[in-house]
Amino acid sequence: MHTSLLRIAVLAFIAALAGSAYADQGQEEGQKMFGKYCSACHGMSATGRGPAAEAMDPRPADLTRIAARRGGEFPEAKILAIIDGREPVRAHGAKQMPVWGEIFRGEMDGAAGEATARGTAWLIIRYLKTVQVPAE
Ligand code: HEC
């Protein structure tokens, strides 16, 4: 009886460790993806000052202030839609933001492509959540 309880506790502990290792890995992966796909415009620090930003109008958004701009709330689903292109960044005007949903799916069609595109966008969103600054 006691041994099985102990075993459960040990297993839970191992699962928790594995879970946090996975979360760290996810964040690192998200940061890598961000560097690859987003930093040219939004900057490596996500503040909107990438090498291509100078020449752009409108300027790339400061992505450390996604939540600050929205009263401290980070609307994951909406940001996902902005990234994959289902929701335009602005109601009017030229769309400077690439439609990542198309790019992330690579050569894959249908559901597999959709899942891959979502997975990449989620990794980036999880990373962006870790770099949010508080509202002033
Ligand atoms: C070619 C330049 C460019 C690249 C590359 C780019 N963006 Fe953007 N992004 C912009 C511009 C410009 C805006 C602001 C558009 C506006 O204000 O109308 C923007 C806005 C955004 C917004 C809206 C912010 C808000 O608070 O509403 C999000 C989110 C975003 N980008 C995420 C990303 C992510 C994630 C990537 C990488 C996968 C990325 N962008 C890559 C140019 C770019």
Side-chain angles (χ1 to χ4, degrees), residues 33-34 37-42 52 56-63 65-67 69-70 78-79 82-83 89-90 92 94 96-98 100 104 121 124-125 128:
M33 293 291 167
F34 182 83
Y37 294 111
C38 322
S39 64
C41 294
H42 290 285
M56 299 190 76
D57 180 25
R59 291 288 174 89
D62 178 350
L63 299 183
R65 303 186 53 79
I66 289 174
R69 273 193 290 278
R70 295 170 170 88
K78 186 184 163 86
I79 298 303
I82 288 176
I83 294 172
V89 193
R90 289 201 177 178
H92 325 275
Q96 301 265 9
M97 255 284 278
W100 296 106
F104 289 161
I124 294 172
I125 287 172
L128 286 175

Tab-separated table of all heavy atoms in Angstrom, residues 33-34 37-42 52 56-63 65-67 69-70 78-79 82-83 89-90 92 94 96-98 100 104 121 124-125 128, ligand 1:
chain	number	residue	atom	x	y	z
A	33	MET	N	12.289	30.149	-33.575
A	33	MET	CA	11.355	30.422	-34.678
A	33	MET	C	11.138	31.921	-34.831
A	33	MET	O	11.057	32.441	-35.937
A	33	MET	CB	10.005	29.739	-34.410
A	33	MET	CG	10.068	28.251	-34.434
A	33	MET	SD	10.364	27.677	-36.115
A	33	MET	CE	10.767	25.983	-35.830
A	34	PHE	N	11.034	32.598	-33.704
A	34	PHE	CA	10.843	34.042	-33.743
A	34	PHE	C	12.041	34.701	-34.434
A	34	PHE	O	11.878	35.572	-35.296
A	34	PHE	CB	10.673	34.607	-32.329
A	34	PHE	CG	10.434	36.086	-32.339
A	34	PHE	CD1	9.160	36.593	-32.543
A	34	PHE	CD2	11.488	36.972	-32.185
A	34	PHE	CE1	8.943	37.959	-32.593
A	34	PHE	CE2	11.284	38.347	-32.228
A	34	PHE	CZ	10.007	38.848	-32.433
A	37	TYR	N	11.778	33.889	-38.299
A	37	TYR	CA	10.690	34.407	-39.119
A	37	TYR	C	10.287	35.853	-38.805
A	37	TYR	O	9.685	36.517	-39.642
A	37	TYR	CB	9.445	33.535	-38.967
A	37	TYR	CG	9.602	32.143	-39.508
A	37	TYR	CD1	9.636	31.047	-38.646
A	37	TYR	CD2	9.709	31.918	-40.881
A	37	TYR	CE1	9.770	29.754	-39.134
A	37	TYR	CE2	9.838	30.635	-41.376
A	37	TYR	CZ	9.869	29.553	-40.499
A	37	TYR	OH	9.999	28.288	-40.993
A	38	CYS	N	10.540	36.324	-37.624
A	38	CYS	CA	9.931	37.586	-37.200
A	38	CYS	C	10.928	38.696	-36.927
A	38	CYS	O	10.571	39.874	-36.970
A	38	CYS	CB	9.092	37.376	-35.934
A	38	CYS	SG	8.190	35.808	-35.889
A	39	SER	N	12.178	38.350	-36.600
A	39	SER	CA	13.088	39.362	-36.068
A	39	SER	C	13.548	40.376	-37.115
A	39	SER	O	13.941	41.484	-36.760
A	39	SER	CB	14.302	38.699	-35.410
A	39	SER	OG	15.048	38.003	-36.370
A	40	ALA	N	13.486	40.035	-38.403
A	40	ALA	CA	13.913	41.003	-39.424
A	40	ALA	C	13.111	42.289	-39.282
A	40	ALA	O	13.652	43.382	-39.417
A	40	ALA	CB	13.737	40.423	-40.820
A	41	CYS	N	11.849	42.170	-38.982
A	41	CYS	CA	10.997	43.352	-38.808
A	41	CYS	C	10.837	43.719	-37.334
A	41	CYS	O	10.977	44.870	-36.953
A	41	CYS	CB	9.620	43.107	-39.414
A	41	CYS	SG	9.677	42.929	-41.212
A	42	HIS	N	10.484	42.729	-36.510
A	42	HIS	CA	10.141	43.041	-35.118
A	42	HIS	C	11.361	43.125	-34.208
A	42	HIS	O	11.230	43.537	-33.065
A	42	HIS	CB	9.151	42.012	-34.575
A	42	HIS	CG	7.795	42.127	-35.203
A	42	HIS	ND1	6.908	43.132	-34.894
A	42	HIS	CD2	7.182	41.371	-36.147
A	42	HIS	CE1	5.804	42.985	-35.610
A	42	HIS	NE2	5.942	41.918	-36.379
A	52	ALA	N	14.825	45.582	-40.890
A	52	ALA	CA	13.957	46.018	-41.986
A	52	ALA	C	12.946	47.074	-41.532
A	52	ALA	O	12.218	47.635	-42.349
A	52	ALA	CB	13.217	44.812	-42.567
A	56	MET	N	9.894	50.713	-43.118
A	56	MET	CA	8.497	50.284	-43.198
A	56	MET	C	7.511	51.307	-42.684
A	56	MET	O	7.777	52.019	-41.731
A	56	MET	CB	8.324	48.981	-42.423
A	56	MET	CG	9.176	47.866	-42.992
A	56	MET	SD	8.749	46.300	-42.255
A	56	MET	CE	7.238	45.989	-43.104
A	57	ASP	N	6.371	51.345	-43.349
A	57	ASP	CA	5.282	52.198	-42.920
A	57	ASP	C	3.972	51.465	-43.160
A	57	ASP	O	3.639	51.210	-44.317
A	57	ASP	CB	5.315	53.514	-43.702
A	57	ASP	CG	4.193	54.435	-43.268
A	57	ASP	OD1	3.734	54.295	-42.119
A	57	ASP	OD2	3.783	55.280	-44.087
A	58	PRO	N	3.229	51.078	-42.164
A	58	PRO	CA	3.479	51.324	-40.752
A	58	PRO	C	4.676	50.541	-40.220
A	58	PRO	O	5.037	49.512	-40.785
A	58	PRO	CB	2.193	50.840	-40.089
A	58	PRO	CG	1.666	49.806	-41.021
A	58	PRO	CD	2.041	50.273	-42.402
A	59	ARG	N	5.251	51.009	-39.140
A	59	ARG	CA	6.363	50.318	-38.509
A	59	ARG	C	5.879	49.020	-37.871
A	59	ARG	O	4.751	48.959	-37.388
A	59	ARG	CB	6.966	51.201	-37.403
A	59	ARG	CG	7.681	52.431	-37.929
A	59	ARG	CD	8.983	52.013	-38.595
A	59	ARG	NE	9.649	53.135	-39.238
A	59	ARG	CZ	10.511	53.937	-38.637
A	59	ARG	NH1	10.810	53.760	-37.374
A	59	ARG	NH2	11.079	54.919	-39.291
A	60	PRO	N	6.759	48.017	-37.837
A	60	PRO	CA	6.388	46.775	-37.151
A	60	PRO	C	6.029	47.048	-35.683
A	60	PRO	O	6.652	47.901	-35.048
A	60	PRO	CB	7.650	45.916	-37.261
A	60	PRO	CG	8.407	46.480	-38.414
A	60	PRO	CD	8.094	47.944	-38.442
A	61	ALA	N	5.052	46.342	-35.198
A	61	ALA	CA	4.586	46.571	-33.829
A	61	ALA	C	5.626	46.109	-32.802
A	61	ALA	O	6.409	45.207	-33.076
A	61	ALA	CB	3.283	45.808	-33.618
A	62	ASP	N	5.623	46.750	-31.643
A	62	ASP	CA	6.409	46.299	-30.493
A	62	ASP	C	5.671	45.103	-29.892
A	62	ASP	O	4.611	45.250	-29.295
A	62	ASP	CB	6.525	47.447	-29.479
A	62	ASP	CG	7.298	47.043	-28.228
A	62	ASP	OD1	7.571	45.838	-28.049
A	62	ASP	OD2	7.600	47.946	-27.439
A	63	LEU	N	6.249	43.914	-30.069
A	63	LEU	CA	5.539	42.705	-29.640
A	63	LEU	C	5.756	42.386	-28.164
A	63	LEU	O	5.219	41.407	-27.653
A	63	LEU	CB	5.937	41.510	-30.518
A	63	LEU	CG	5.619	41.666	-32.012
A	63	LEU	CD1	5.982	40.393	-32.764
A	63	LEU	CD2	4.163	42.026	-32.263
A	65	ARG	N	4.685	44.490	-26.140
A	65	ARG	CA	3.589	45.282	-25.594
A	65	ARG	C	2.228	44.815	-26.093
A	65	ARG	O	1.253	45.570	-26.044
A	65	ARG	CB	3.805	46.766	-25.907
A	65	ARG	CG	5.150	47.297	-25.375
A	65	ARG	CD	5.269	48.792	-25.566
A	65	ARG	NE	4.128	49.505	-25.007
A	65	ARG	CZ	3.960	49.768	-23.719
A	65	ARG	NH1	4.871	49.410	-22.851
A	65	ARG	NH2	2.906	50.401	-23.310
A	66	ILE	N	2.161	43.579	-26.577
A	66	ILE	CA	0.874	43.043	-27.039
A	66	ILE	C	-0.144	43.136	-25.907
A	66	ILE	O	-1.265	43.613	-26.097
A	66	ILE	CB	1.024	41.570	-27.502
A	66	ILE	CG1	1.816	41.520	-28.815
A	66	ILE	CG2	-0.333	40.905	-27.667
A	66	ILE	CD1	2.151	40.113	-29.289
A	67	ALA	N	0.253	42.707	-24.721
A	67	ALA	CA	-0.662	42.736	-23.570
A	67	ALA	C	-0.841	44.167	-23.055
A	67	ALA	O	-1.963	44.584	-22.754
A	67	ALA	CB	-0.149	41.825	-22.458
A	69	ARG	N	-0.803	46.895	-24.599
A	69	ARG	CA	-1.723	47.651	-25.465
A	69	ARG	C	-3.174	47.276	-25.225
A	69	ARG	O	-4.074	47.947	-25.689
A	69	ARG	CB	-1.403	47.357	-26.945
A	69	ARG	CG	-0.342	48.246	-27.549
A	69	ARG	CD	-0.323	48.092	-29.075
A	69	ARG	NE	0.178	46.798	-29.516
A	69	ARG	CZ	1.472	46.503	-29.618
A	69	ARG	NH1	2.375	47.400	-29.333
A	69	ARG	NH2	1.858	45.320	-30.015
A	70	ARG	N	-3.376	46.115	-24.583
A	70	ARG	CA	-4.751	45.626	-24.418
A	70	ARG	C	-5.125	45.501	-22.945
A	70	ARG	O	-5.757	44.532	-22.541
A	70	ARG	CB	-4.888	44.275	-25.133
A	70	ARG	CG	-4.706	44.396	-26.640
A	70	ARG	CD	-4.609	43.033	-27.300
A	70	ARG	NE	-4.672	43.126	-28.762
A	70	ARG	CZ	-3.610	43.301	-29.537
A	70	ARG	NH1	-2.401	43.391	-29.018
A	70	ARG	NH2	-3.751	43.367	-30.843
A	78	LYS	N	-6.651	35.588	-30.772
A	78	LYS	CA	-6.607	36.725	-31.686
A	78	LYS	C	-5.198	36.896	-32.263
A	78	LYS	O	-5.035	37.145	-33.459
A	78	LYS	CB	-7.029	37.988	-30.944
A	78	LYS	CG	-7.146	39.189	-31.866
A	78	LYS	CD	-7.470	40.448	-31.065
A	78	LYS	CE	-7.181	41.680	-31.893
A	78	LYS	NZ	-8.281	42.086	-32.739
A	79	ILE	N	-4.199	36.730	-31.413
A	79	ILE	CA	-2.821	36.868	-31.890
A	79	ILE	C	-2.494	35.742	-32.878
A	79	ILE	O	-1.858	35.964	-33.897
A	79	ILE	CB	-1.825	36.886	-30.704
A	79	ILE	CG1	-2.110	38.094	-29.793
A	79	ILE	CG2	-0.377	36.928	-31.185
A	79	ILE	CD1	-2.070	39.453	-30.480
A	82	ILE	N	-3.939	36.774	-36.095
A	82	ILE	CA	-3.147	37.835	-36.734
A	82	ILE	C	-1.929	37.213	-37.402
A	82	ILE	O	-1.585	37.539	-38.539
A	82	ILE	CB	-2.710	38.898	-35.698
A	82	ILE	CG1	-3.916	39.735	-35.258
A	82	ILE	CG2	-1.628	39.812	-36.287
A	82	ILE	CD1	-3.601	40.750	-34.163
A	83	ILE	N	-1.277	36.289	-36.697
A	83	ILE	CA	-0.063	35.681	-37.241
A	83	ILE	C	-0.383	34.825	-38.470
A	83	ILE	O	0.282	34.940	-39.491
A	83	ILE	CB	0.668	34.832	-36.174
A	83	ILE	CG1	1.193	35.750	-35.061
A	83	ILE	CG2	1.825	34.056	-36.800
A	83	ILE	CD1	1.759	35.010	-33.860
A	89	VAL	N	-4.078	42.714	-39.665
A	89	VAL	CA	-3.492	43.455	-38.560
A	89	VAL	C	-4.218	44.784	-38.387
A	89	VAL	O	-4.460	45.239	-37.299
A	89	VAL	CB	-1.992	43.700	-38.797
A	89	VAL	CG1	-1.328	44.179	-37.515
A	89	VAL	CG2	-1.319	42.451	-39.277
A	90	ARG	N	-4.550	45.386	-39.515
A	90	ARG	CA	-5.334	46.618	-39.467
A	90	ARG	C	-6.593	46.457	-40.268
A	90	ARG	O	-6.629	45.690	-41.224
A	90	ARG	CB	-4.539	47.770	-40.066
A	90	ARG	CG	-3.420	48.166	-39.178
A	90	ARG	CD	-2.978	49.537	-39.487
A	90	ARG	NE	-1.925	49.891	-38.544
A	90	ARG	CZ	-1.281	51.034	-38.566
A	90	ARG	NH1	-1.579	51.942	-39.468
A	90	ARG	NH2	-0.356	51.284	-37.688
A	92	HIS	N	-7.900	48.644	-42.195
A	92	HIS	CA	-7.681	49.182	-43.539
A	92	HIS	C	-6.199	49.220	-43.853
A	92	HIS	O	-5.377	49.033	-43.000
A	92	HIS	CB	-8.210	50.619	-43.659
A	92	HIS	CG	-9.424	50.882	-42.892
A	92	HIS	ND1	-10.675	50.602	-43.375
A	92	HIS	CD2	-9.602	51.402	-41.654
A	92	HIS	CE1	-11.567	50.944	-42.470
A	92	HIS	NE2	-10.940	51.429	-41.415
A	94	ALA	N	-2.559	48.818	-46.299
A	94	ALA	CA	-1.728	47.754	-46.856
A	94	ALA	C	-1.400	46.733	-45.774
A	94	ALA	O	-1.226	47.078	-44.610
A	94	ALA	CB	-0.449	48.347	-47.415
A	96	GLN	N	1.296	44.758	-44.367
A	96	GLN	CA	2.751	44.591	-44.373
A	96	GLN	C	3.147	43.265	-43.732
A	96	GLN	O	4.239	42.766	-43.948
A	96	GLN	CB	3.410	45.712	-43.558
A	96	GLN	CG	3.091	47.070	-44.066
A	96	GLN	CD	4.167	47.576	-45.001
A	96	GLN	OE1	5.054	46.850	-45.393
A	96	GLN	NE2	4.064	48.838	-45.355
A	97	MET	N	2.261	42.762	-42.875
A	97	MET	CA	2.594	41.532	-42.168
A	97	MET	C	2.397	40.357	-43.094
A	97	MET	O	1.324	40.155	-43.626
A	97	MET	CB	1.628	41.374	-40.988
A	97	MET	CG	2.244	41.680	-39.670
A	97	MET	SD	3.310	40.382	-39.071
A	97	MET	CE	2.090	39.276	-38.372
A	98	PRO	N	3.440	39.557	-43.270
A	98	PRO	CA	3.270	38.361	-44.102
A	98	PRO	C	2.215	37.413	-43.515
A	98	PRO	O	1.964	37.424	-42.322
A	98	PRO	CB	4.652	37.707	-44.050
A	98	PRO	CG	5.596	38.766	-43.602
A	98	PRO	CD	4.797	39.685	-42.744
A	100	TRP	N	1.675	34.253	-42.290
A	100	TRP	CA	2.518	33.148	-41.847
A	100	TRP	C	1.852	31.805	-41.925
A	100	TRP	O	2.513	30.781	-42.069
A	100	TRP	CB	3.029	33.421	-40.433
A	100	TRP	CG	3.893	34.625	-40.427
A	100	TRP	CD1	3.575	35.860	-39.946
A	100	TRP	CD2	5.206	34.747	-40.981
A	100	TRP	NE1	4.604	36.727	-40.174
A	100	TRP	CE2	5.616	36.073	-40.803
A	100	TRP	CE3	6.064	33.863	-41.616
A	100	TRP	CZ2	6.857	36.541	-41.231
A	100	TRP	CZ3	7.294	34.322	-42.046
A	100	TRP	CH2	7.681	35.645	-41.845
A	104	PHE	N	4.263	28.747	-42.856
A	104	PHE	CA	4.596	27.716	-41.876
A	104	PHE	C	4.178	26.321	-42.322
A	104	PHE	O	4.737	25.340	-41.873
A	104	PHE	CB	3.926	28.007	-40.529
A	104	PHE	CG	4.507	29.184	-39.801
A	104	PHE	CD1	3.787	29.807	-38.792
A	104	PHE	CD2	5.768	29.659	-40.103
A	104	PHE	CE1	4.308	30.880	-38.105
A	104	PHE	CE2	6.296	30.743	-39.423
A	104	PHE	CZ	5.564	31.353	-38.422
A	121	ALA	N	3.127	28.552	-34.947
A	121	ALA	CA	2.579	29.815	-34.435
A	121	ALA	C	2.426	29.761	-32.917
A	121	ALA	O	2.750	30.714	-32.215
A	121	ALA	CB	1.232	30.107	-35.102
A	124	ILE	N	5.684	30.265	-31.103
A	124	ILE	CA	6.071	31.678	-31.107
A	124	ILE	C	5.217	32.467	-30.111
A	124	ILE	O	5.729	33.302	-29.372
A	124	ILE	CB	5.975	32.264	-32.534
A	124	ILE	CG1	7.012	31.581	-33.431
A	124	ILE	CG2	6.183	33.772	-32.522
A	124	ILE	CD1	6.908	31.930	-34.906
A	125	ILE	N	3.923	32.167	-30.079
A	125	ILE	CA	3.042	32.864	-29.135
A	125	ILE	C	3.470	32.593	-27.697
A	125	ILE	O	3.549	33.503	-26.878
A	125	ILE	CB	1.566	32.445	-29.356
A	125	ILE	CG1	1.060	33.079	-30.661
A	125	ILE	CG2	0.692	32.859	-28.176
A	125	ILE	CD1	-0.298	32.605	-31.099
A	128	LEU	N	6.406	34.684	-27.053
A	128	LEU	CA	6.055	36.109	-26.919
A	128	LEU	C	5.425	36.406	-25.558
A	128	LEU	O	5.634	37.479	-24.991
A	128	LEU	CB	5.113	36.548	-28.047
A	128	LEU	CG	5.774	36.700	-29.426
A	128	LEU	CD1	4.725	37.018	-30.485
A	128	LEU	CD2	6.855	37.792	-29.397
B	1	HEC	C1	8.028	42.021	-43.219
B	1	HEC	C2	7.991	42.537	-41.874
B	1	HEC	C3	7.331	41.701	-40.798
B	1	HEC	C4	7.658	40.425	-40.414
B	1	HEC	C5	8.758	39.542	-40.967
B	1	HEC	C6	6.766	40.100	-39.324
B	1	HEC	N1	5.926	41.132	-39.053
B	1	HEC	FE1	4.553	41.234	-37.573
B	1	HEC	N2	4.042	43.115	-38.128
B	1	HEC	C7	4.657	43.834	-39.127
B	1	HEC	C8	4.080	45.165	-39.179
B	1	HEC	C9	4.482	46.262	-40.148
B	1	HEC	C10	3.101	45.221	-38.178
B	1	HEC	C11	2.203	46.384	-37.808
B	1	HEC	C12	1.096	46.465	-38.811
B	1	HEC	C13	0.150	47.583	-38.536
B	1	HEC	O1	0.281	48.269	-37.499
B	1	HEC	O2	-0.737	47.746	-39.366
B	1	HEC	C14	3.093	43.909	-37.534
B	1	HEC	C15	2.231	43.556	-36.523
B	1	HEC	C16	2.263	42.347	-35.851
B	1	HEC	C17	1.359	41.953	-34.789
B	1	HEC	C18	0.194	42.767	-34.216
B	1	HEC	C19	0.575	43.290	-32.859
B	1	HEC	C20	-0.597	43.762	-32.053
B	1	HEC	O3	-0.413	44.032	-30.843
B	1	HEC	O4	-1.704	43.867	-32.602
B	1	HEC	C21	1.725	40.716	-34.384
B	1	HEC	C22	1.105	39.872	-33.282
B	1	HEC	C23	2.855	40.317	-35.194
B	1	HEC	N3	3.146	41.333	-36.080
B	1	HEC	C24	3.512	39.113	-35.071
B	1	HEC	C25	4.527	38.684	-35.918
B	1	HEC	C26	5.159	37.395	-35.825
B	1	HEC	C27	4.863	36.368	-34.744
B	1	HEC	C28	6.052	37.318	-36.839
B	1	HEC	C29	6.920	36.140	-37.218
B	1	HEC	C30	6.226	34.884	-37.417
B	1	HEC	C31	5.991	38.574	-37.564
B	1	HEC	N4	5.057	39.368	-36.988
B	1	HEC	C32	6.780	38.881	-38.657
B	1	HEC	C33	5.662	43.392	-39.967
B	1	HEC	C34	6.251	42.142	-39.923
